[in-house]
Amino acid sequence: MDTFEVLNNLLVKLFNDILDVEEKALITDEFKDISVTDMHIIEAVGTEEPRTMTAISKTLGVTMGTLTIGMNALVKKGYIIRTRNPKDRRIVFATLTPKGVSAYKHHAAFHKNMIDSVMDSLNEEEAAVLTKSLNKLEDFFGQWRSPYSGVKAKLHMLSSIFYIIDRNGWNNSLQFGTLSI
């Protein structure tokens, strides 16, 4: 198998595995009432100061309407509390409840274990190369964020990349935007 085939197969498999494994790891008996998307909303709310709905929607790359639907469910399930700014009632803050903090820590532990498992087998130079490569891939995705955003953009872009590659074949000098492979 040539480098292109290895890389293509690896990226497709990793993408699918991350979605599948993350769901299995995050949605345990304790958190069976929420989805991975809910878990990402909880992550965006965070455990620091209360965050505005506007800031959270920008972090996630979703519209306020989409975020509101997700927030409504998480408030109902007891993971998040929303409060209005007393000085400007148009501003709405979101804060995690103790149940939400528990879900946040569970999600953070999954990501820490994932990164630790990769970093444990890499030396400094290899870690730097991996980071640089993933940053290039992220830069490529960044060119395609509009009209797509967040997870939807990643799904769309990966499927588009692999469609283009499958359609055009590999020629050792593929260029997608500013990303050269």
Side-chain angles (χ1 to χ4, degrees), residues 2-74:
D2 67 7
T3 303
F4 169 79
E5 287 178 48
V6 170
L7 186 56
N8 185 50
N9 291 340
L10 194 64
L11 287 172
V12 170
K13 185 172 179 359
L14 278 173
F15 178 74
N16 291 327
D17 285 351
I18 287 170
L19 293 177
D20 184 50
V21 170
E22 185 174 36
E23 183 173 0
K24 288 176 183 167
L26 295 180
I27 310 308
T28 62
D29 284 342
E30 183 179 1
F31 304 111
K32 65 184 171 199
D33 61 336
I34 60 174
S35 67
V36 173
T37 299
D38 292 333
M39 200 64 91
H40 289 136
I41 294 172
I42 289 167
E43 178 185 37
V45 171
T47 58
E48 303 299 318
E49 297 294 316
R51 294 198 66 208
T52 65
M53 293 284 286
T54 301
I56 296 164
S57 71
K58 286 180 182 174
T59 296
L60 294 171
V62 298
T63 65
M64 285 292 286
T66 298
L67 178 61
T68 299
I69 291 167
M71 283 288 194
N72 287 345
L74 289 168

Side-chain angles (χ1 to χ4, degrees), residues 40-178:
H40 289 136
I41 294 172
I42 289 167
E43 178 185 37
V45 171
T47 58
E48 303 299 318
E49 297 294 316
R51 294 198 66 208
T52 65
M53 293 284 286
T54 301
I56 296 164
S57 71
K58 286 180 182 174
T59 296
L60 294 171
V62 298
T63 65
M64 285 292 286
T66 298
L67 178 61
T68 299
I69 291 167
M71 283 288 194
N72 287 345
L74 289 168
V75 167
K76 207 180 233 184
K77 294 172 186 176
Y79 288 90
I80 291 176
I81 296 171
R82 281 186 296 205
T83 54
R84 291 199 178 272
N85 182 331
K87 295 178 183 174
D88 185 346
R89 306 242 338 126
R90 296 171 298 174
I91 300 172
V92 178
F93 292 102
T95 309
L96 298 180
T97 64
K99 186 177 179 180
V101 170
S102 180
Y104 177 91
K105 288 179 179 177
H106 177 66
H107 188 214
F110 169 77
H111 281 271
K112 181 178 182 336
N113 290 338
M114 179 176 60
I115 299 304
D116 286 349
S117 74
V118 171
M119 296 306 292
D120 285 348
S121 63
L122 300 178
N123 63 37
E124 260 185 63
E125 184 180 324
E126 291 168 328
V129 169
L130 177 60
T131 301
K132 183 177 179 181
S133 299
L134 292 175
N135 277 327
K136 283 184 176 185
L137 191 57
E138 177 60 25
D139 290 345
F140 169 72
F141 288 140
Q143 297 178 61
W144 298 89
R145 290 255 158 79
S146 182
Y148 301 98
S149 60
V151 172
K152 186 177 180 181
K154 293 174 185 170
L155 289 169
H156 178 76
M157 286 314 307
L158 280 175
S159 66
S160 297
I161 290 168
F162 298 121
Y163 171 76
I164 291 166
I165 291 169
D166 287 341
R167 189 186 67 188
N168 295 329
W170 171 248
N171 67 16
N172 288 339
S173 63
L174 285 177
Q175 176 124 11
F176 298 102
T178 60

